[in-house]
Amino acid sequence: MFQSYSALMRIRGLRVSMLLGVYTGTIVFTLWLSYQLRFDFDIPPGFADVLPLSLGWIAILKISCLFGFGQFQTSLSYFSTPDLRRIVGVCALGSFVMLLVHLVFGLAVAPPRGVILTDGVLSCAVLCAGRASLRLLRERFLAPHTRPSGQVRRIGIVGAGDAGAALARELMTNRWLGLQPIAFFDDFRRPGSLLHGIPIWGTPEELAGPKIGLKIDEIIIALPSAAATRLREVVRILQKAKLPFRTVPSMTELAIGTVDVSQLRAVQIEDLLGREVVKIDTDHIRGMIEGRTVMVTGAGGSIGSELCRQIACFDPTVLLLVERSEASLFPIEQELIERGYHHAVVPLVADVTDVASMTAIFARYRPSSVFHAAAHKHVPMMEAQPAEAIRNNVLGTARMAELACAFGVDRFLLVSTDKAVNPTSVMGATKRLAEITVQAMHARSRGATRFMAVRFGNVLGSSGSVVPTFTRQIAAGGPVKVTHPEITRFFMTIPEAVSLVLQCASRAAGGEIFVLDMGESVKIVDLARQMIELSGLMPGRDIRIEFTGLRPGEKLYEELSHRDENVTGTDHERIRRLHCEPAPFRAVEVILQTLASAIESATPDELKLLLRELIPEYTPDRRDALVDIVPEPAAPTPARTVADDEVEQDAALEMFRS
């Protein structure tokens, strides 16, 4: 150990000695050259006699400044803007001290003012140029990743903004990638100008015109903040020109730090759907998460896993990943560990409907915030199994909300859906009951725990959504199956939705239902056509689109608010707040008891009728030939008579319906 320490000290001493020699030589050379330039390379004898004395004390002065500004702790070949600022500071301070000495002691000790000025400029320029040259040498020729690839592809970059410039710099530095940028195409840059030495040829439309004398193997689209309409136009141009293309990540992905600009990918349908970049107030979100314990239920799902990714970026002390599927939990746990969050991540295989298990988790970890994303969400599947939808979506939410109250959780956020508005499906009806439950819980807790719900539409790429389904069908050669030619849906990306969910949680007072701005609704058949075209195929010719009819519980279009809900804006342009009177907690308690009793024995049709009784705006799917069955009331408690319970339940239910 002592020998290793001694060897390390010798290496450090050698490095400092080398830096001392380089810096001393540079300082002496620039001062000597400044004298030569000042006197046209013919220094008068009087000044020549003072030069050796000036060289000595000025070298000591500037070496001390360099040491004080930390330039002996940096590597010579790593040079960036902070190093530039330090070198400018060293030269400015050195020149200032030289000028003071000149004013106090005169030419007998210090150089003339012209020499001082010239030396300040020259020393700064030489030091910066030397460091920049060493960096260029390391990046372009000496580092292992700078070795050129055997096959080099000639790349055109669409977009000469910050993203395009950063991409070109990365590709030129990392030559092992085998991608050589040779041209930029941009709407706003003057043709013929250069960016990083690469010419700008004109607008992207040039690529579809006559041959421009360039042999381009691939196009990279570097327009992360461009409007989707423009991106669609660029994609059509490249498809017409028969040029392969990829894109840089979206601005949302870049903003949350999950990727960098050089991580290229294929253009996805999410890029073409007109979503604007989400702006979030990270300070409020950080204040809610940093240094605290946060729980995410349904952590292995599409929304839950993205919640975990984004929450982890805000440095929680503990991030609880609650998920009942071990197979879904393992990938997100490993991903977060690989990203360096192993110290915070706690994977927990648990079911939110298991009261004993969840009580033990709350008692042990005491979370300050709970993001409740665990739910059954597949509409046709839940139509056949309403008992499971009620058990998980309603009773599971109620149990989690009760535990949040009992253990003093600060915030409880329910991830809801637009299908809860005038529901036609069991899934939508159960989500509406979950919203009602958390609002009633907030009223009962009197703000001690802030309960809220966030309602949004479909997220692109989530499990069971149309995008992965269409992708599989296109890969299989078709047909792409659409339920109805007029069916429309609201869409947003998963990172976008989760960013807004976190924004809602950080700003909520409690008791609200938030609605996210979903933009314009999209025809599913148009979505199918765009996905087929992105695959390089033609709809109707290469891949057939087939209409199969609406599925049980499915609407032609979705809504984001009910007619009785008062919708107001918030301080975020993409978030709206719904105000409605919370149901009395006693009425909600009776409903939960009734549902808990019914799911043990009632048939699917009986459960749908019960949901219709509880939620008047719910319209069950009629294809199951529902019969008129009056649901059994909840069993009375031993301390009360049956008549008393029936009267109270009827009164509570009537109050709830009203």
Side-chain angles (χ1 to χ4, degrees):
M1 180 177 177
F2 179 76
Q3 291 176 344
S4 299
Y5 178 77
S6 300
L8 180 61
M9 290 299 100
R10 284 197 298 272
I11 292 171
R12 287 181 176 175
L14 181 63
R15 179 177 170 277
V16 170
S17 299
M18 183 186 71
L19 287 173
L20 184 62
V22 170
Y23 285 137
T24 302
T26 302
I27 291 164
V28 169
F29 170 73
T30 56
L31 184 59
W32 173 83
L33 184 58
S34 298
Y35 267 95
Q36 297 293 337
L37 293 173
R38 168 65 179 79
F39 295 106
D40 293 330
F41 294 91
D42 186 14
I43 306 174
F47 288 102
D49 295 339
V50 178
L51 178 57
L53 177 63
S54 298
L55 286 173
W57 74 264
I58 289 172
I60 294 172
L61 168 67
K62 290 196 175 182
I63 289 295
S64 301
C65 291
L66 285 165
F67 185 83
F69 277 78
Q71 290 306 288
F72 279 84
Q73 286 77 45
T74 61
S75 175
L76 283 175
S77 63
Y78 287 85
F79 183 67
S80 58
T81 304
D83 293 303
L84 173 63
R85 287 198 298 265
R86 293 188 189 102
I87 289 175
V88 170
V90 166
C91 296
L93 180 59
S95 297
F96 178 72
V97 173
M98 289 164 65
L99 184 60
L100 284 179
V101 173
H102 171 82
L103 294 174
V104 174
F105 297 102
L107 294 173
V109 176
R113 284 169 296 184
V115 171
I116 294 173
L117 178 62
T118 306
D119 175 68
V121 175
L122 272 179
S123 59
C124 183
V126 172
L127 285 171
C128 291
R131 293 284 300 275
S133 299
L134 289 173
R135 171 182 167 172
L136 185 65
L137 180 66
R138 175 183 57 80
E139 288 184 346
R140 297 292 175 88
F141 302 104
L142 299 181
H145 62 263
T146 62
R147 294 166 188 160
S149 172
Q151 280 189 325
V152 177
R153 292 174 61 81
R154 294 164 63 85
I155 299 299
I157 300 176
V158 174
D162 291 340
L167 175 64
R169 187 171 58 248
E170 287 283 329
L171 297 182
M172 289 190 295
T173 300
N174 298 290
R175 295 195 297 164
W176 63 273
L177 292 171
L179 302 175
Q180 179 187 359
I182 62 167
F184 279 104
F185 300 88
D186 192 89
D187 291 325
F188 305 105
R189 298 276 186 167
R190 181 171 56 86
S193 56
L194 299 176
L195 180 59
H196 292 318
I198 302 168
I200 298 173
W201 281 77
T203 65
E205 279 73 12
E206 298 279 346
L207 291 163
K211 294 294 183 182
I212 57 176
L214 287 173
K215 184 180 180 301
I216 298 177
D217 298 313
E218 184 180 4
I219 293 292
I220 296 175
I221 303 172
L223 302 171
S225 59
T229 52
R230 181 55 179 156
L231 190 58
R232 285 196 293 268
E233 291 170 0
V234 171
V235 168
R236 291 192 194 101
I237 290 167
L238 299 177
Q239 288 173 336
K240 181 180 178 182
K242 293 183 169 52
L243 282 169
F245 56 90
R246 286 184 284 173
T247 186
V248 300
S250 68
M251 190 59 76
T252 301
E253 294 171 305
L254 293 172
I256 62 179
T258 57
V259 295
D260 58 54
V261 73
S262 62
Q263 291 181 258
L264 306 177
R265 58 171 173 78
V267 175
Q268 299 167 347
I269 192 63
E270 292 94 324
D271 302 316
L272 308 181
L273 286 181
R275 305 301 304 168
E276 296 178 0
V277 177
V278 174
K279 298 175 183 177
I280 60 173
D281 182 355
T282 56
D283 291 338
H284 278 81
I285 298 173
R286 183 170 296 279
M288 174 182 67
I289 294 173
E290 188 175 25
R292 301 172 186 270
T293 298
V294 181
M295 175 187 288
V296 178
T297 68
S302 306
I303 297 295
S305 59
E306 183 63 22
L307 273 168
C308 294
R309 292 184 193 99
Q310 294 194 27
I311 289 171
C313 295
F314 292 99
D315 300 320
T317 302
V318 179
L319 177 55
L320 305 173
L321 280 59
V322 178
E323 171 61 59
R324 71 179 184 179
S325 169
E326 179 189 18
S328 299
L329 181 60
F330 181 75
I332 184 61
E333 178 212 10
Q334 293 303 302
E335 180 183 336
L336 294 176
I337 289 173
E338 289 167 7
R339 291 186 180 185
Y341 301 118
H342 56 278
H343 61 283
V345 172
V346 178
L348 298 166
V349 179
D351 190 332
V352 296
T353 63
D354 185 342
V355 177
S357 175
M358 294 309 303
T359 301
I361 291 171
F362 272 85
R364 180 177 179 183
Y365 294 102
R366 303 277 175 168
S368 65
S369 298
V370 175
F371 293 86
H372 182 51
H376 288 317
K377 66 174 187 175
H378 295 286
V379 171
M381 198 177 294
M382 291 304 102
E383 287 301 300
Q385 303 176 81
E388 287 306 309
I390 293 169
R391 192 190 316 275
N392 200 22
N393 297 0
V394 182
L395 301 180
T397 299
R399 302 297 173 255
M400 291 293 295
E402 288 167 357
L403 289 171
C405 279
F407 288 94
V409 170
D410 180 41
R411 289 177 174 87
F412 182 99
L413 184 141
L414 166 69
V415 175
S416 190
T417 171
D418 58 359
K419 293 176 176 60
V421 182
N422 298 322
T424 60
S425 64
V426 168
M427 191 280 249
T430 55
K431 276 297 198 178
R432 178 63 188 135
L433 274 177
E435 291 178 353
I436 291 167
T437 300
V438 297
Q439 284 190 302
M441 285 286 186
H442 177 77
R444 187 187 72 161
S445 72
R446 300 182 185 278
T449 296
R450 284 176 275 185
F451 288 91
M452 68 213 74
V454 180
R455 187 186 290 171
F456 52 87
N458 299 273
V459 286
L460 290 162
S462 64
S463 62
S465 70
V466 294
V467 172
T469 301
F470 286 173
T471 301
R472 287 193 302 270
Q473 292 170 351
I474 292 168
V480 172
K481 297 181 179 180
V482 179
T483 57
H484 193 282
E486 297 300 320
I487 192 170
T488 63
R489 288 292 181 266
F490 293 103
F491 285 103
M492 65 196 326
T493 65
I494 295 175
E496 176 188 13
V498 168
S499 296
L500 291 173
V501 165
L502 293 177
Q503 187 75 81
C504 293
S506 68
R507 293 295 189 92
E512 306 101 325
I513 296 177
F514 293 102
V515 175
L516 305 187
D517 175 15
M518 302 295 295
E520 297 295 325
S521 60
V522 177
K523 270 192 173 185
I524 300 299
V525 67
D526 292 341
L527 183 72
R529 291 192 184 104
Q530 289 180 339
M531 290 187 65
I532 293 169
E533 290 170 355
L534 275 180
S535 302
L537 304 170
M538 286 294 293
R541 188 188 70 185
D542 302 316
I543 299 287
R544 182 169 55 89
I545 296 177
E546 178 182 302
F547 297 105
T548 59
L550 291 176
R551 299 175 298 177
E554 193 170 44
K555 294 180 179 181
L556 268 180
Y557 60 92
E558 300 289 4
E559 305 158 278
L560 292 175
S561 61
H562 187 264
R563 63 180 179 273
D564 294 331
E565 292 171 330
N566 179 27
V567 182
T568 62
T570 67
D571 57 359
H572 195 289
E573 59 184 7
R574 303 286 295 278
I575 301 172
R576 292 180 296 166
R577 181 184 284 109
L578 303 182
H579 294 277
C580 55
E581 191 68 24
F585 180 75
R586 176 55 186 157
V588 172
E589 199 172 36
V590 170
I591 290 167
L592 296 175
Q593 292 170 358
T594 304
L595 290 172
S597 175
I599 61 173
E600 301 301 329
S601 57
T603 66
D605 282 352
E606 290 170 346
L607 290 175
K608 290 180 184 180
L609 279 171
L610 178 55
L611 289 174
R612 187 176 65 184
E613 287 290 314
L614 299 174
I615 306 175
E617 65 265 30
Y618 168 46
T619 307
D621 188 85
R622 294 289 179 177
R623 280 175 259 188
D624 294 336
L626 296 176
V627 294
D628 290 328
I629 300 172
V630 178
E632 292 289 334
T637 57
R640 301 173 61 86
T641 66
V642 174
D644 288 340
D645 271 339
E646 287 178 345
V647 169
E648 185 171 320
Q649 286 180 2
D650 289 344
L653 289 173
E654 186 59 35
M655 187 186 304
F656 172 76
R657 295 187 191 109
S658 64

